[in-house]
Amino acid sequence: MVNDVVLVNCTVTDARATGVPGAASGSRTAEVRRDAAVGGGAAVRTEAGAAGGQGRIADAAVWIRDDRIAAVGPRERILERTGDAHLIDLDGAYVTPGLVNMHTHLSLSLPGEGGDSVKNMTAHELALYMADGARRTLHCGVTTVRCVAEKDHADFALRRAIESGRAIGPRIFTAGRALVCTGGHGHEGSDTLECDGADGFRRGVRSQVKAGADLIKIMISGGIAGEHEKIDTPQLFSDEMAAALQTAHAWGRKVTAHAGPAAVIAEAVELGLDCVEHGYQLTPEVAKRMAERGTSLVPTLLVTRCKEFFDELGVPEWMQCRSLGAGPRHLESYAMALDAGVDVLLGSDMPPFWDFEGTNASVRELECMSEGGLGPAGALYAGTLGPVRWLGADADLGTVEVGKYADLIAMDADPLAGTSAFRGVRWVMKGGRVVRDDRSGWEKS
Protein backbone atom coordinates (compact mmCIF):
# COMPACT_ATOMS: atom_id res chain seq x y z
CA MET A 1 0.00 0.00 0.00
CA VAL A 2 1.38 3.39 -1.03
CA ASN A 3 2.04 5.83 1.79
CA ASP A 4 0.26 9.01 0.62
CA VAL A 5 0.13 11.93 3.06
CA VAL A 6 0.20 15.72 2.97
CA LEU A 7 1.56 17.89 5.77
CA VAL A 8 -0.40 21.14 6.08
CA ASN A 9 -0.62 24.19 8.35
CA CYS A 10 3.14 24.58 8.61
CA THR A 11 6.08 26.76 7.60
CA VAL A 12 8.81 24.91 5.75
CA THR A 13 12.30 26.06 6.67
CA ASP A 14 15.61 24.62 5.56
CA ALA A 15 19.20 25.77 5.14
CA ARG A 16 18.60 27.25 1.69
CA ALA A 17 16.81 30.11 3.46
CA THR A 18 19.75 30.92 5.73
CA GLY A 19 22.03 32.93 3.49
CA VAL A 20 24.90 30.59 4.38
CA PRO A 21 27.28 30.65 1.38
CA GLY A 22 26.44 27.88 -1.05
CA ALA A 23 23.38 26.67 0.82
CA ALA A 24 20.90 27.87 -1.79
CA SER A 25 22.61 25.80 -4.46
CA GLY A 26 23.14 22.81 -2.23
CA SER A 27 20.71 20.40 -3.81
CA ARG A 28 21.11 18.57 -7.07
CA THR A 29 17.35 17.91 -7.07
CA ALA A 30 15.76 19.69 -10.01
CA GLU A 31 12.88 22.10 -9.62
CA VAL A 32 10.81 19.69 -11.68
CA ARG A 33 11.20 15.96 -11.10
CA ARG A 34 9.42 13.33 -13.19
CA ASP A 35 8.59 10.60 -10.71
CA ALA A 36 6.50 7.54 -11.46
CA ALA A 37 5.60 7.29 -7.77
CA VAL A 38 3.42 10.35 -8.16
CA GLY A 39 1.35 8.52 -10.74
CA GLY A 40 1.21 8.60 -14.51
CA GLY A 41 4.69 10.08 -14.85
CA ALA A 42 3.29 13.53 -14.11
CA ALA A 43 5.70 16.35 -13.44
CA VAL A 44 5.77 17.47 -9.83
CA ARG A 45 7.06 20.94 -9.11
CA THR A 46 8.56 22.49 -6.04
CA GLU A 47 6.83 25.79 -5.51
CA ALA A 48 8.89 28.68 -4.12
CA GLY A 49 6.37 30.75 -2.26
CA ALA A 50 6.34 34.52 -2.20
CA ALA A 51 6.58 34.36 1.58
CA GLY A 52 10.26 33.59 1.54
CA GLY A 53 11.45 31.87 -1.60
CA GLN A 54 13.75 28.91 -1.69
CA GLY A 55 13.97 27.07 1.60
CA ARG A 56 11.27 29.09 3.38
CA ILE A 57 7.58 28.68 2.60
CA ALA A 58 4.81 29.97 4.85
CA ASP A 59 1.38 28.27 4.87
CA ALA A 60 3.02 25.35 3.15
CA ALA A 61 2.06 21.82 2.24
CA VAL A 62 4.44 18.90 1.84
CA TRP A 63 3.15 15.96 -0.17
CA ILE A 64 4.82 12.65 0.69
CA ARG A 65 4.44 9.43 -1.26
CA ASP A 66 6.04 6.32 0.14
CA ASP A 67 9.30 7.47 1.73
CA ARG A 68 10.03 10.58 -0.35
CA ILE A 69 8.78 14.10 -0.88
CA ALA A 70 6.61 14.36 -3.99
CA ALA A 71 5.85 18.09 -3.84
CA VAL A 72 6.32 21.06 -1.55
CA GLY A 73 4.98 24.58 -1.87
CA PRO A 74 2.11 26.91 -0.96
CA ARG A 75 -0.73 24.87 0.53
CA GLU A 76 -3.49 25.72 -1.95
CA ARG A 77 -1.36 24.88 -5.00
CA ILE A 78 -0.20 21.55 -3.60
CA LEU A 79 -3.67 20.47 -2.44
CA GLU A 80 -5.02 20.97 -5.96
CA ARG A 81 -3.19 17.84 -7.04
CA THR A 82 -3.00 15.56 -4.00
CA GLY A 83 -6.41 13.90 -4.39
CA ASP A 84 -7.37 11.62 -1.51
CA ALA A 85 -4.04 11.79 0.27
CA HIS A 86 -4.29 11.75 4.07
CA LEU A 87 -3.85 15.21 5.61
CA ILE A 88 -1.66 15.75 8.69
CA ASP A 89 -2.34 19.13 10.30
CA LEU A 90 0.79 20.36 12.09
CA ASP A 91 -0.95 23.21 13.92
CA GLY A 92 1.25 26.01 12.64
CA ALA A 93 4.57 24.25 13.28
CA TYR A 94 7.89 25.00 11.62
CA VAL A 95 9.06 22.01 9.59
CA THR A 96 12.77 21.40 8.98
CA PRO A 97 14.85 18.46 7.84
CA GLY A 98 15.77 16.10 10.66
CA LEU A 99 19.01 16.82 12.50
CA VAL A 100 22.25 15.05 11.61
CA ASN A 101 24.66 14.23 14.44
CA MET A 102 28.16 13.72 13.04
CA HIS A 103 29.94 12.53 16.20
CA THR A 104 28.03 9.63 17.69
CA HIS A 105 29.01 6.68 19.87
CA LEU A 106 25.99 4.51 20.60
CA SER A 107 28.29 2.17 22.56
CA LEU A 108 30.14 4.92 24.44
CA SER A 109 31.98 3.77 27.57
CA LEU A 110 34.00 6.50 29.29
CA PRO A 111 36.24 5.76 32.29
CA GLY A 112 34.12 5.30 35.42
CA GLU A 113 31.24 3.21 36.72
CA GLY A 114 28.82 4.10 33.94
CA GLY A 115 31.30 3.22 31.23
CA ASP A 116 32.30 0.02 32.97
CA SER A 117 28.69 -1.17 32.88
CA VAL A 118 28.74 -0.86 29.09
CA LYS A 119 32.17 -2.49 28.75
CA ASN A 120 30.94 -5.48 30.74
CA MET A 121 27.88 -6.12 28.57
CA THR A 122 27.63 -9.33 26.61
CA ALA A 123 27.32 -9.07 22.84
CA HIS A 124 23.56 -9.57 23.09
CA GLU A 125 23.18 -6.94 25.81
CA LEU A 126 25.27 -4.46 23.81
CA ALA A 127 23.12 -4.93 20.71
CA LEU A 128 19.94 -4.23 22.67
CA TYR A 129 21.56 -1.26 24.43
CA MET A 130 22.58 0.29 21.12
CA ALA A 131 19.17 -0.37 19.58
CA ASP A 132 17.53 1.43 22.48
CA GLY A 133 19.90 4.36 22.00
CA ALA A 134 19.12 4.45 18.28
CA ARG A 135 15.38 4.58 18.98
CA ARG A 136 15.81 7.38 21.50
CA THR A 137 18.07 9.25 19.08
CA LEU A 138 15.45 9.20 16.34
CA HIS A 139 12.68 10.25 18.69
CA CYS A 140 14.60 13.36 19.74
CA GLY A 141 14.69 14.54 16.14
CA VAL A 142 18.06 13.21 14.93
CA THR A 143 17.21 11.30 11.76
CA THR A 144 20.79 10.60 10.63
CA VAL A 145 23.95 9.83 12.60
CA ARG A 146 27.60 9.37 11.76
CA CYS A 147 29.09 6.79 14.14
CA VAL A 148 32.79 7.35 14.72
CA ALA A 149 33.86 4.25 16.71
CA GLU A 150 31.51 1.53 17.90
CA LYS A 151 32.19 -1.70 19.74
CA ASP A 152 32.55 -5.10 18.06
CA HIS A 153 31.10 -3.92 14.74
CA ALA A 154 27.67 -3.98 16.33
CA ASP A 155 26.94 -0.76 14.41
CA PHE A 156 26.78 -2.71 11.15
CA ALA A 157 24.24 -5.14 12.58
CA LEU A 158 22.22 -2.24 13.95
CA ARG A 159 22.29 -0.47 10.59
CA ARG A 160 21.02 -3.59 8.85
CA ALA A 161 18.26 -4.01 11.45
CA ILE A 162 17.10 -0.42 11.00
CA GLU A 163 17.21 -0.60 7.21
CA SER A 164 15.16 -3.81 7.21
CA GLY A 165 12.59 -2.43 9.63
CA ARG A 166 13.47 -4.77 12.51
CA ALA A 167 14.64 -1.85 14.65
CA ILE A 168 13.69 1.82 14.97
CA GLY A 169 16.47 4.36 14.54
CA PRO A 170 18.16 7.00 12.41
CA ARG A 171 19.99 6.45 9.17
CA ILE A 172 23.48 5.30 10.07
CA PHE A 173 26.74 6.20 8.38
CA THR A 174 29.58 4.55 10.26
CA ALA A 175 33.35 4.28 10.49
CA GLY A 176 33.24 0.91 12.22
CA ARG A 177 36.23 0.70 14.56
CA ALA A 178 38.55 3.71 14.80
CA LEU A 179 42.19 3.12 13.90
CA VAL A 180 44.76 3.84 16.63
CA CYS A 181 48.45 3.18 17.18
CA THR A 182 49.41 0.60 19.80
CA GLY A 183 48.46 2.13 23.13
CA GLY A 184 46.87 5.12 21.40
CA HIS A 185 43.74 7.06 22.25
CA GLY A 186 40.89 4.67 23.00
CA HIS A 187 43.00 1.54 22.54
CA GLU A 188 41.42 -0.12 25.60
CA GLY A 189 38.08 -0.80 23.94
CA SER A 190 36.69 -3.00 21.18
CA ASP A 191 35.61 0.13 19.30
CA THR A 192 39.19 0.70 18.11
CA LEU A 193 41.74 -1.32 16.15
CA GLU A 194 45.43 -1.01 16.97
CA CYS A 195 47.66 -0.53 13.92
CA ASP A 196 51.35 0.32 13.51
CA GLY A 197 53.35 1.46 10.52
CA ALA A 198 52.10 2.44 7.09
CA ASP A 199 51.24 -1.13 6.12
CA GLY A 200 49.38 -1.62 9.38
CA PHE A 201 47.20 1.39 8.77
CA ARG A 202 46.54 0.35 5.18
CA ARG A 203 45.32 -3.01 6.46
CA GLY A 204 43.27 -1.24 9.12
CA VAL A 205 41.48 0.89 6.56
CA ARG A 206 40.78 -2.08 4.32
CA SER A 207 39.46 -4.12 7.24
CA GLN A 208 36.86 -1.46 8.05
CA VAL A 209 35.90 -1.04 4.40
CA LYS A 210 35.51 -4.82 4.18
CA ALA A 211 33.17 -4.72 7.18
CA GLY A 212 31.03 -2.06 5.51
CA ALA A 213 32.40 1.28 6.73
CA ASP A 214 31.14 4.44 5.02
CA LEU A 215 34.12 6.45 6.26
CA ILE A 216 37.31 5.96 8.23
CA LYS A 217 38.29 7.42 11.59
CA ILE A 218 41.86 7.70 12.81
CA MET A 219 43.16 8.84 16.19
CA ILE A 220 46.13 11.13 15.54
CA SER A 221 46.60 12.67 18.98
CA GLY A 222 45.81 12.13 22.63
CA GLY A 223 42.54 13.29 24.14
CA ILE A 224 40.61 13.85 27.32
CA ALA A 225 39.74 10.21 28.07
CA GLY A 226 43.21 8.63 28.02
CA GLU A 227 44.81 8.57 31.46
CA HIS A 228 48.38 8.06 30.24
CA GLU A 229 48.38 10.66 27.47
CA LYS A 230 47.83 14.38 27.00
CA ILE A 231 45.56 16.19 24.57
CA ASP A 232 48.60 17.35 22.62
CA THR A 233 50.38 13.96 22.44
CA PRO A 234 51.13 13.16 18.76
CA GLN A 235 50.23 9.53 18.08
CA LEU A 236 50.75 8.83 14.38
CA PHE A 237 53.80 9.35 12.18
CA SER A 238 53.44 11.09 8.84
CA ASP A 239 53.76 7.87 6.84
CA GLU A 240 50.99 6.26 8.93
CA MET A 241 48.62 9.17 8.40
CA ALA A 242 49.43 9.32 4.70
CA ALA A 243 48.86 5.58 4.30
CA ALA A 244 45.48 5.72 5.99
CA LEU A 245 44.36 8.73 3.97
CA GLN A 246 45.58 7.43 0.63
CA THR A 247 44.05 4.01 1.13
CA ALA A 248 40.69 5.36 2.32
CA HIS A 249 40.48 7.84 -0.54
CA ALA A 250 41.37 5.15 -3.04
CA TRP A 251 38.35 3.21 -1.77
CA GLY A 252 36.14 6.32 -1.98
CA ARG A 253 35.95 6.86 1.78
CA LYS A 254 36.50 10.15 3.55
CA VAL A 255 38.61 10.27 6.69
CA THR A 256 37.96 12.06 9.94
CA ALA A 257 40.47 12.33 12.75
CA HIS A 258 40.28 12.67 16.50
CA ALA A 259 42.74 15.52 16.96
CA GLY A 260 43.58 18.18 19.51
CA PRO A 261 46.82 20.10 18.87
CA ALA A 262 47.36 22.53 16.02
CA ALA A 263 50.66 21.06 14.79
CA VAL A 264 49.24 17.55 14.39
CA ILE A 265 46.12 18.90 12.67
CA ALA A 266 48.18 21.05 10.32
CA GLU A 267 50.19 18.04 9.15
CA ALA A 268 47.07 15.93 8.59
CA VAL A 269 45.32 18.72 6.69
CA GLU A 270 48.25 18.97 4.26
CA LEU A 271 48.05 15.22 3.74
CA GLY A 272 44.38 15.48 2.74
CA LEU A 273 42.36 14.99 5.92
CA ASP A 274 38.65 15.52 5.35
CA CYS A 275 37.45 16.35 8.87
CA VAL A 276 38.74 17.13 12.35
CA GLU A 277 36.96 15.96 15.50
CA HIS A 278 37.27 18.28 18.52
CA GLY A 279 40.13 20.54 17.39
CA TYR A 280 40.81 21.67 20.96
CA GLN A 281 43.91 23.76 20.21
CA LEU A 282 43.64 25.31 16.75
CA THR A 283 45.53 28.44 15.74
CA PRO A 284 44.34 31.08 13.26
CA GLU A 285 46.91 29.84 10.75
CA VAL A 286 45.81 26.22 10.96
CA ALA A 287 42.13 27.17 10.84
CA LYS A 288 42.79 29.23 7.72
CA ARG A 289 44.49 26.28 6.08
CA MET A 290 41.58 24.01 7.00
CA ALA A 291 39.21 26.40 5.26
CA GLU A 292 41.45 26.59 2.19
CA ARG A 293 41.76 22.82 1.97
CA GLY A 294 38.08 22.12 2.64
CA THR A 295 38.70 20.30 5.93
CA SER A 296 35.56 20.38 8.09
CA LEU A 297 35.41 20.64 11.88
CA VAL A 298 33.08 18.83 14.26
CA PRO A 299 33.89 20.82 17.42
CA THR A 300 32.00 18.72 20.03
CA LEU A 301 31.86 21.72 22.37
CA LEU A 302 29.94 19.83 25.04
CA VAL A 303 32.81 17.52 25.90
CA THR A 304 34.69 20.29 27.72
CA ARG A 305 31.65 21.68 29.57
CA CYS A 306 29.62 18.70 30.76
CA LYS A 307 30.40 18.12 34.45
CA GLU A 308 26.80 17.05 35.12
CA PHE A 309 27.17 14.28 32.52
CA PHE A 310 30.52 13.18 33.94
CA ASP A 311 29.14 13.07 37.47
CA GLU A 312 26.20 10.99 36.30
CA LEU A 313 28.57 8.40 34.81
CA GLY A 314 31.04 8.46 37.69
CA VAL A 315 33.86 9.75 35.48
CA PRO A 316 37.09 9.98 37.54
CA GLU A 317 38.53 13.26 38.73
CA TRP A 318 41.60 13.17 36.48
CA MET A 319 39.43 13.07 33.33
CA GLN A 320 37.03 15.71 34.58
CA CYS A 321 39.89 18.08 35.35
CA ARG A 322 41.48 17.56 31.94
CA SER A 323 38.21 17.96 30.08
CA LEU A 324 36.78 20.95 31.90
CA GLY A 325 40.20 22.59 32.04
CA ALA A 326 40.39 22.47 28.25
CA GLY A 327 37.10 24.34 27.88
CA PRO A 328 38.28 27.96 27.51
CA ARG A 329 40.92 27.07 24.90
CA HIS A 330 38.40 24.85 23.12
CA LEU A 331 36.01 27.80 22.70
CA GLU A 332 38.84 30.02 21.45
CA SER A 333 39.74 27.35 18.92
CA TYR A 334 36.13 27.14 17.74
CA ALA A 335 36.00 30.93 17.33
CA MET A 336 39.16 30.79 15.22
CA ALA A 337 37.55 28.20 12.97
CA LEU A 338 34.48 30.38 12.50
CA ASP A 339 36.60 33.45 11.75
CA ALA A 340 38.54 31.50 9.14
CA GLY A 341 35.39 30.20 7.43
CA VAL A 342 35.89 26.53 8.30
CA ASP A 343 32.89 24.32 7.59
CA VAL A 344 31.60 23.42 11.08
CA LEU A 345 29.19 20.53 11.64
CA LEU A 346 27.00 19.29 14.49
CA GLY A 347 28.36 16.45 16.60
CA SER A 348 27.73 15.89 20.29
CA ASP A 349 30.14 13.05 21.26
CA MET A 350 27.76 12.53 24.18
CA PRO A 351 24.97 10.10 23.21
CA PRO A 352 22.70 12.15 20.91
CA PHE A 353 19.59 11.56 23.01
CA TRP A 354 21.12 12.14 26.45
CA ASP A 355 19.13 14.46 28.72
CA PHE A 356 21.39 17.43 29.37
CA GLU A 357 20.71 20.96 30.60
CA GLY A 358 17.01 20.82 29.86
CA THR A 359 17.16 19.23 26.41
CA ASN A 360 19.01 16.45 24.59
CA ALA A 361 22.73 16.48 23.87
CA SER A 362 22.28 17.07 20.12
CA VAL A 363 20.22 20.21 20.61
CA ARG A 364 22.43 21.48 23.46
CA GLU A 365 25.52 21.09 21.25
CA LEU A 366 23.80 22.98 18.45
CA GLU A 367 22.87 25.73 20.91
CA CYS A 368 26.51 25.98 22.06
CA MET A 369 27.64 26.26 18.45
CA SER A 370 25.09 28.99 17.81
CA GLU A 371 25.95 30.87 20.99
CA GLY A 372 29.66 30.58 20.22
CA GLY A 373 29.31 32.73 17.11
CA LEU A 374 27.59 30.59 14.49
CA GLY A 375 24.10 32.05 15.03
CA PRO A 376 20.73 30.41 14.32
CA ALA A 377 21.04 30.39 10.52
CA GLY A 378 24.49 28.86 10.62
CA ALA A 379 23.33 26.35 13.21
CA LEU A 380 20.48 25.19 10.99
CA TYR A 381 22.99 24.59 8.20
CA ALA A 382 25.49 22.90 10.53
CA GLY A 383 22.79 20.55 11.82
CA THR A 384 21.23 19.58 8.48
CA LEU A 385 22.59 20.37 5.02
CA GLY A 386 26.25 20.78 5.99
CA PRO A 387 26.60 17.28 7.43
CA VAL A 388 24.81 15.52 4.57
CA ARG A 389 27.02 17.29 2.09
CA TRP A 390 30.07 15.94 3.90
CA LEU A 391 28.48 12.48 3.84
CA GLY A 392 27.79 12.79 0.12
CA ALA A 393 24.09 12.26 0.81
CA ASP A 394 22.69 15.65 -0.24
CA ALA A 395 20.88 14.07 -3.19
CA ASP A 396 18.60 12.37 -0.66
CA LEU A 397 18.77 14.37 2.59
CA GLY A 398 19.31 17.79 4.12
CA THR A 399 16.57 19.96 2.61
CA VAL A 400 12.79 19.82 2.14
CA GLU A 401 12.80 19.21 -1.60
CA VAL A 402 11.14 17.01 -4.19
CA GLY A 403 12.71 13.58 -4.45
CA LYS A 404 14.40 13.64 -1.07
CA TYR A 405 13.60 11.33 1.81
CA ALA A 406 10.82 12.61 4.03
CA ASP A 407 13.02 12.85 7.14
CA LEU A 408 11.34 15.79 8.84
CA ILE A 409 10.82 17.32 12.27
CA ALA A 410 8.33 19.91 13.53
CA MET A 411 8.51 22.47 16.32
CA ASP A 412 6.47 25.47 17.44
CA ALA A 413 9.21 28.13 17.39
CA ASP A 414 11.15 29.47 14.41
CA PRO A 415 14.66 27.92 14.24
CA LEU A 416 15.91 30.93 12.29
CA ALA A 417 14.90 33.18 15.18
CA GLY A 418 16.69 31.06 17.79
CA THR A 419 18.40 27.68 17.86
CA SER A 420 16.59 26.85 21.09
CA ALA A 421 13.53 26.26 18.90
CA PHE A 422 14.86 22.71 18.51
CA ARG A 423 14.18 22.14 22.21
CA GLY A 424 10.52 22.10 21.21
CA VAL A 425 10.64 19.32 18.62
CA ARG A 426 7.28 17.59 19.04
CA TRP A 427 6.85 15.60 15.85
CA VAL A 428 9.29 13.39 13.94
CA MET A 429 8.99 11.63 10.58
CA LYS A 430 11.55 9.33 9.00
CA GLY A 431 11.12 8.00 5.50
CA GLY A 432 7.52 9.20 5.33
CA ARG A 433 6.47 7.44 8.55
CA VAL A 434 5.58 9.38 11.70
CA VAL A 435 7.62 8.04 14.61
CA ARG A 436 6.74 10.68 17.21
CA ASP A 437 3.71 12.93 17.71
CA ASP A 438 3.48 14.62 21.09
CA ARG A 439 -0.05 15.86 20.48
CA SER A 440 -1.34 12.31 20.73
CA GLY A 441 1.29 11.13 23.20
CA TRP A 442 2.30 8.54 20.64
CA GLU A 443 5.71 7.16 19.69
CA LYS A 444 6.22 4.30 17.27
CA SER A 445 8.10 1.58 19.10
Side-chain angles (χ1 to χ4, degrees), residues 81-292:
R81 63 174 90 108
T82 56
D84 295 329
H86 175 66
L87 298 184
I88 298 177
D89 189 327
L90 291 178
D91 296 330
Y94 289 83
V95 172
T96 73
L99 293 175
V100 182
N101 193 316
M102 293 283 277
H103 194 117
T104 299
H105 302 285
L106 292 172
S107 56
L108 180 69
S109 57
L110 295 175
E113 295 178 5
D116 288 345
S117 69
V118 178
K119 290 178 184 176
N120 294 331
M121 288 179 178
T122 67
H124 304 94
E125 289 170 333
L126 181 66
L128 292 170
Y129 176 80
M130 291 176 66
D132 177 65
R135 176 187 59 83
R136 294 167 69 184
T137 294
L138 178 59
H139 285 168
C140 75
V142 176
T143 55
T144 300
V145 296
R146 188 186 69 166
C147 295
V148 287
E150 301 290 1
K151 292 180 176 21
D152 301 323
H153 282 171
D155 43 327
F156 298 115
L158 178 60
R159 182 175 65 185
R160 290 191 295 270
I162 291 171
E163 290 175 349
S164 67
R166 296 192 303 271
I168 302 295
R171 301 182 194 278
I172 292 178
F173 293 80
T174 186
R177 298 170 73 179
L179 308 184
V180 306
C181 66
T182 294
H185 183 73
H187 73 277
E188 308 90 345
S190 60
D191 51 356
T192 58
L193 178 66
E194 288 181 310
C195 309
D196 288 297
D199 286 346
F201 275 89
R202 289 190 186 98
R203 282 193 295 270
V205 169
R206 290 172 181 145
S207 71
Q208 299 315 295
V209 172
K210 178 181 177 181
D214 305 291
L215 63 136
I216 297 297
K217 184 182 181 184
I218 56 178
M219 308 291 207
I220 65 175
S221 80
I224 64 174
E227 186 171 7
H228 303 296
E229 64 188 24
K230 298 179 180 179
I231 287 175
D232 59 359
T233 303
Q235 295 195 347
L236 267 63
F237 290 109
S238 296
D239 64 332
E240 293 173 319
M241 283 193 280
L245 287 159
Q246 291 167 2
T247 306
H249 290 163
W251 283 86
R253 273 34 172 212
K254 288 185 176 180
V255 180
T256 193
H258 164 98
V264 171
I265 293 169
E267 183 177 14
V269 168
E270 294 305 319
L271 290 171
L273 182 65
D274 301 294
C275 188
V276 171
E277 308 297 309
H278 313 303
Y280 300 117
Q281 300 170 351
L282 292 176
T283 63
E285 296 75 19
V286 172
K288 179 182 178 184
R289 193 62 178 142
M290 287 175 64
E292 291 171 347

Side-chain angles (χ1 to χ4, degrees), residues 9-26:
N9 196 6
C10 60
T11 297
V12 168
T13 302
D14 67 36
R16 295 170 298 154
T18 63
V20 173
S25 59

Side-chain angles (χ1 to χ4, degrees), residues 1 12 38 93 143 159 169 196 216 269 280 296 314 318 344 366 368-369 375 385 391 444:
M1 181 177 179
V12 168
V38 176
T143 55
R159 182 175 65 185
D196 288 297
I216 297 297
V269 168
Y280 300 117
S296 299
W318 65 261
V344 297
L366 199 59
C368 287
M369 294 174 71
L385 182 55
L391 293 167
K444 184 176 181 180

Side-chain angles (χ1 to χ4, degrees), residues 372-392:
L374 189 59
L380 178 60
Y381 178 85
T384 56
L385 182 55
V388 301
R389 281 179 166 174
W390 193 94
L391 293 167

